[in-house]
Amino acid sequence: MRNPLSGWLTGLALVGALAAAGPALAYEPLVEKQSFTIPEFTTQGGETIPDMTLGWEAYGDLNEAKDNVILVTHYYSGNSHAAGRYAADDTAPGYWDSIIGAGKPIDTDRYYVIAVDTPVNLGAHNPNVITTGPASINPETGKPWGMDFPILTIRDFVETQKALLDQLGIESLHAVMGASMGSLQAYEWAAVHPDMVERVIPVIGSGWSDGDLIAWLNIWGAPIRLDPNWNNGDYYDGEPPTQGLAEALKIVTLHAQSPEWSNGVFGRAWAEDGQDPADSFDNLFKIEAVLDGAGAARAATSDANHFLYLAKANQLFYTGHGESLYEGLLDIEAPVLIIHTNEDLIFPGDAVRETATLIKSDGTPVQIVELQGTRGHLDGVLSIAQAGDAIAAFLASESE
Amino acid sequence: MRNPLSGWLTGLALVGALAAAGPALAYEPLVEKQSFTIPEFTTQGGETIPDMTLGWEAYGDLNEAKDNVILVTHYYSGNSHAAGRYAADDTAPGYWDSIIGAGKPIDTDRYYVIAVDTPVNLGAHNPNVITTGPASINPETGKPWGMDFPILTIRDFVETQKALLDQLGIESLHAVMGASMGSLQAYEWAAVHPDMVERVIPVIGSGWSDGDLIAWLNIWGAPIRLDPNWNNGDYYDGEPPTQGLAEALKIVTLHAQSPEWSNGVFGRAWAEDGQDPADSFDNLFKIEAVLDGAGAARAATSDANHFLYLAKANQLFYTGHGESLYEGLLDIEAPVLIIHTNEDLIFPGDAVRETATLIKSDGTPVQIVELQGTRGHLDGVLSIAQAGDAIAAFLASESE
């Protein structure tokens, strides 16, 4: 086997398996993926999507007053599997299992935690993801949407989640929280539905996509557009652009880490003993082989068009999507607990601190917790337990 | 015109044009590209390349003792045009013209400055570059080498330069200096030819490629390998992989800048008034259009296989290429002036400082000058004049 680490890098298990290294027991009851349908979803851009069907999971029990709900919004390559296992022999629990469960910071004896698969979810071919996007059949044509699927925004993701809450009769959120792209949804929730949101916990994210992130998101998607199998998004009756998608996911994987990982774990080690990279273009350094393995594994359950729609939604994001860049942040009234790391290459510390400053500027309470670690952006998933006490205290605090 | 900045981003003029913004007059005499040939070059890997022909330029006059020579080694996407103009109406002088010329820090009234095009130079199709690489005709087959060209190292680049000095009867270097990949050549020169090198000025570079840079160099090259026109490097009788090469050069362009540039200059501005990126995948943000323009312009004079050979040479680099990672740095005896910036994403400040610490550890004198700017890595070219006084003083100082 070329890549000695391919085992723990397999597919979507990557993040979960690493998160599971902690001592905490997994959320106990087996988790069931459920689904709901929005018969006619109107996008922020004014287009209509019939039969928007999405998956969701819940941990804990909804109380009678339906006021103990915490909504967890997921990251770019993630889905609604935030905690627990589907089956007793699952190799890994959901990605934030270290903080969600009985007696954990997000205590499922007390709170009812809901997580929802986004539309255009990257894992369109992951059997545990239920999503609607370019890979879905357009009921009006009987064929996959492809690039005819309407462009969606982070606001649209929020409105699909609100539609689920409406169906469940839930009118308020004790908190909304999420990592990375999930933090963008958390900011958006607090800005556009201030009457429903009592607390906000954005993790490893800032209040808008800046020019630098817009540029990198373009570069993330470039390998897909270059793959001849992509064919302008029309590949559902042929070979998908798996190679381009794998290269795109390689970039994401590296960008979401930190040099302390690539240098500290791999350095200049070769992929194979005796196969000197100086001798052939086929001989790789270990970090190259690991990234190849991670990209290929993640591509196997992902969809290339969905990747591009997610990149677009992230590029388009600024809290509130209003007339000015900052007014959405000023619309946030609920207390905010921001969790981040200064080693983050995707949402750098300065942008996070600037976001906090703007939210605070009209009196909204904001706390910042800084994670320590060697994994960069990914520490918002892998090292979230460091913020466990702060999360528990914040959730227990009075809102207004 | 889609991209309002495409004018100043055209081709290899990018860096030069920006550097020319300073007040200093360009190096005065018109510059002539010369060439030299190594009849049989043996690579570090033991392979033979017949008729290795490379371009070079010189500024100033060689003194009788031939001991006033400063060798300038160039960066990844650069070439030997370090100063001056080929014709009076050239739009821009060479990239370090701000510090090379009569009365400038590298005073051509005193020093004879030599710059050499590397083998596998990126600008294989730039009429002002003379290089030998995969795009060259292999005299033994009468066809382009393609990926049969031997893998080269930074050491090999150094040895081609030494061959030129041998032909010119030059036996010592008052200094060797270069930016980025040029700094790697400077470290290598000092480590492997300590008797010839009197002073070293590595700019925006560290003493080895670490795991993180190895990974990014892989990602830089990925779009080329994905372009079906690349055809495993065999494209010289068909369409070249221009699109993949342009995407690769986009990544380099962004990586060599800093968020202060992408956010400060472009932010969330649209490429075209009235063409909201939310409305279509064809509607871009300005930073995307600028990167597209820069990538396409640079691709027009570049060669994709040469790009991959350069990436390999950079991945393989550690000073001295010896038994251990650090012994090459300990072999450096000449005084060292390191110039860098903490905003550098390619050679971060920590790696540069670690390099300095290792060189100093056995008593070799090392000074560090930190550039201030908003352009990241590229400030090593654009803002080099900030270090002008330090360079002048270092060149005037006694060596050992």
Side-chain angles (χ1 to χ4, degrees):
Chain A
M1 191 164 54
R2 172 161 217 120
N3 169 6
L5 297 169
S6 63
W8 58 261
L9 285 166
T10 301
L12 291 174
L14 169 63
V15 165
L18 294 169
L25 291 172
Y27 172 76
E28 275 299 338
L30 290 183
V31 173
E32 193 189 353
K33 179 78 71 172
Q34 305 177 66
S35 76
F36 72 106
T37 296
I38 306 165
E40 192 171 275
F41 181 80
T42 302
T43 70
Q44 199 188 347
E47 301 206 60
T48 300
I49 300 168
D51 295 340
M52 169 80 88
T53 300
L54 302 171
W56 65 289
E57 302 187 8
Y59 324 107
D61 298 296
L62 184 61
N63 66 10
E64 200 108 9
K66 298 189 175 184
D67 65 358
N68 68 331
V69 179
I70 294 176
L71 177 69
V72 172
T73 48
H74 69 71
Y75 50 94
Y76 195 96
S77 61
N79 58 66
S80 63
H81 195 38
R85 290 179 158 84
Y86 300 122
D89 60 352
D90 280 1
T91 51
Y95 64 92
W96 260 358
D97 192 277
S98 65
I99 54 166
I100 299 173
K104 293 182 187 175
I106 301 170
D107 189 345
T108 49
D109 289 340
R110 184 166 176 186
Y111 301 114
Y112 182 60
V113 180
I114 293 180
V116 188
D117 292 333
T118 64
V120 304
N121 189 289
L122 184 63
H125 309 296
N126 175 345
N128 290 317
V129 168
I130 302 169
T131 190
T132 299
S136 307
I137 300 296
N138 178 351
E140 289 175 8
T141 65
K143 293 179 182 167
W145 285 90
M147 299 298 282
D148 290 333
F149 196 79
I151 288 175
L152 297 186
T153 63
I154 297 295
R155 168 81 64 86
D156 289 318
F157 296 179
V158 164
E159 294 307 319
T160 63
Q161 294 149 9
K162 181 167 183 303
L164 172 62
L165 301 183
D166 290 346
Q167 292 184 17
L168 298 173
I170 294 167
E171 292 176 353
S172 73
L173 292 170
H174 187 81
V176 54
M177 65 184 297
S180 193
M181 186 180 81
S183 75
L184 311 187
Q185 296 166 70
Y187 288 120
E188 187 75 3
W189 255 106
V192 302
H193 297 299
D195 296 344
M196 289 183 69
V197 175
E198 293 168 6
R199 292 166 194 80
V200 198
I201 310 180
V203 179
I204 51 168
S206 55
W208 62 93
S209 290
D210 59 22
D212 202 56
L213 182 55
I214 288 169
W216 279 109
L217 286 161
N218 176 303
I219 280 167
W220 287 10
I224 292 171
R225 292 185 292 265
L226 271 172
D227 188 323
N229 288 345
W230 179 58
N231 191 29
N232 291 310
D234 183 7
Y235 54 78
Y236 293 107
D237 55 0
E239 281 296 310
T242 307
Q243 219 184 331
L245 179 56
E247 287 293 340
L249 287 163
K250 271 172 63 177
I251 308 179
V252 178
T253 303
L254 183 61
H255 209 173
Q257 295 275 0
S258 91
E260 293 183 76
W261 173 75
S262 41
N263 295 334
V265 179
F266 305 102
R268 296 185 49 85
W270 301 350
E272 298 276 355
D273 283 346
Q275 308 287 305
D276 186 346
D279 290 341
S280 165
F281 278 91
D282 291 333
N283 295 352
L284 301 180
F285 289 94
K286 185 177 277 187
I287 180 69
E288 298 181 279
V290 165
L291 289 174
D292 282 347
R298 301 176 88 175
T301 55
S302 302
D303 181 82
N305 285 339
H306 284 223
F307 187 107
L308 297 177
Y309 274 77
L310 283 171
K312 188 72 159 177
N314 280 272
Q315 286 182 320
L316 293 173
F317 177 71
Y318 58 104
T319 302
H321 294 81
E323 286 302 309
S324 85
L325 192 55
Y326 304 129
E327 67 179 22
L329 293 173
L330 300 178
D331 287 342
I332 295 176
E333 300 303 335
V336 182
L337 170 64
I338 294 178
I339 299 168
H340 82 114
T341 156
N342 271 324
E343 307 305 315
D344 194 328
L345 299 173
I346 296 177
F347 290 105
D350 285 349
V352 172
R353 281 182 288 271
E354 200 178 336
T355 300
T357 299
L358 287 161
I359 298 175
K360 269 192 296 200
S361 67
D362 63 358
T364 304
V366 180
Q367 295 174 53
I368 301 185
V369 171
E370 192 185 315
L371 302 174
Q372 302 297 326
T374 60
R375 306 299 294 273
H377 187 66
L378 200 49
D379 272 321
V381 177
L382 303 181
S383 303
I384 188 67
Q386 285 178 24
D389 290 347
I391 292 169
F394 183 71
L395 292 176
S397 68
E398 289 299 314
S399 168
E400 300 294 291
Chain B
M1 191 165 51
R2 171 159 220 123
N3 168 5
L5 298 169
S6 62
W8 58 263
L9 284 165
T10 302
L12 292 174
L14 169 63
V15 165
L18 294 170
L25 291 173
Y27 173 75
E28 276 298 340
L30 290 184
V31 172
E32 192 188 354
K33 180 78 71 170
Q34 303 177 68
S35 76
F36 72 107
T37 296
I38 306 166
E40 191 171 274
F41 182 80
T42 303
T43 71
Q44 199 188 348
E47 301 205 61
T48 299
I49 300 168
D51 296 339
M52 170 79 88
T53 299
L54 303 171
W56 65 289
E57 302 186 5
Y59 324 107
D61 297 296
L62 184 60
N63 65 11
E64 200 108 7
K66 297 189 176 184
D67 65 358
N68 67 333
V69 178
I70 295 176
L71 177 69
V72 172
T73 48
H74 68 72
Y75 52 93
Y76 195 95
S77 61
N79 59 64
S80 64
H81 194 39
R85 291 180 158 84
Y86 299 122
D89 60 353
D90 281 0
T91 51
Y95 64 91
W96 262 357
D97 193 276
S98 65
I99 54 168
I100 299 173
K104 295 183 187 174
I106 301 170
D107 189 345
T108 49
D109 289 340
R110 182 164 177 186
Y111 302 114
Y112 182 60
V113 180
I114 293 180
V116 188
D117 293 334
T118 64
V120 305
N121 189 291
L122 185 62
H125 308 296
N126 175 342
N128 290 318
V129 168
I130 301 170
T131 190
T132 298
S136 308
I137 300 295
N138 177 350
E140 288 176 8
T141 65
K143 292 178 181 167
W145 285 90
M147 299 297 281
D148 290 333
F149 196 79
I151 288 175
L152 298 187
T153 63
I154 297 294
R155 168 80 64 87
D156 289 320
F157 297 179
V158 164
E159 294 307 318
T160 62
Q161 293 148 12
K162 180 166 182 305
L164 172 63
L165 301 184
D166 290 346
Q167 292 184 15
L168 299 174
I170 294 167
E171 293 175 356
S172 73
L173 292 170
H174 187 81
V176 54
M177 65 183 298
S180 193
M181 186 180 82
S183 76
L184 311 187
Q185 296 165 69
Y187 288 119
E188 188 75 1
W189 254 107
V192 302
H193 297 297
D195 296 343
M196 288 184 69
V197 176
E198 293 168 6
R199 291 167 195 80
V200 198
I201 310 181
V203 179
I204 52 169
S206 56
W208 63 91
S209 290
D210 58 21
D212 203 56
L213 182 57
I214 288 170
W216 279 109
L217 286 161
N218 177 301
I219 280 167
W220 288 9
I224 292 170
R225 292 186 292 266
L226 272 172
D227 188 323
N229 288 346
W230 179 58
N231 192 29
N232 292 309
D234 182 7
Y235 55 77
Y236 293 107
D237 54 0
E239 280 297 311
T242 306
Q243 219 183 331
L245 179 56
E247 287 293 340
L249 287 163
K250 271 172 64 176
I251 308 178
V252 178
T253 303
L254 183 60
H255 209 173
Q257 294 276 0
S258 92
E260 294 183 75
W261 173 75
S262 42
N263 295 333
V265 179
F266 305 102
R268 296 184 51 83
W270 300 351
E272 297 276 355
D273 283 347
Q275 306 287 306
D276 186 346
D279 291 340
S280 165
F281 278 91
D282 291 333
N283 295 352
L284 301 179
F285 289 93
K286 185 176 277 189
I287 180 70
E288 298 182 278
V290 164
L291 289 174
D292 281 348
R298 302 176 88 176
T301 54
S302 302
D303 181 81
N305 284 339
H306 283 223
F307 187 106
L308 297 177
Y309 274 77
L310 283 171
K312 188 72 158 177
N314 279 272
Q315 286 182 319
L316 294 173
F317 177 72
Y318 58 105
T319 302
H321 294 81
E323 287 302 310
S324 85
L325 193 54
Y326 305 130
E327 66 178 23
L329 293 173
L330 300 177
D331 287 342
I332 295 176
E333 300 302 335
V336 182
L337 170 65
I338 294 179
I339 300 167
H340 82 114
T341 154
N342 271 323
E343 307 305 315
D344 194 327
L345 299 173
I346 297 177
F347 290 104
D350 285 351
V352 172
R353 282 182 286 272
E354 202 179 334
T355 300
T357 299
L358 286 161
I359 298 174
K360 269 192 294 199
S361 67
D362 63 358
T364 304
V366 179
Q367 296 175 54
I368 301 185
V369 171
E370 193 184 314
L371 303 173
Q372 302 298 325
T374 61
R375 305 299 295 273
H377 188 65
L378 200 49
D379 272 321
V381 176
L382 303 181
S383 303
I384 188 66
Q386 285 177 25
D389 289 347
I391 293 169
F394 183 72
L395 292 177
S397 67
E398 287 300 311
S399 168
E400 295 292 293

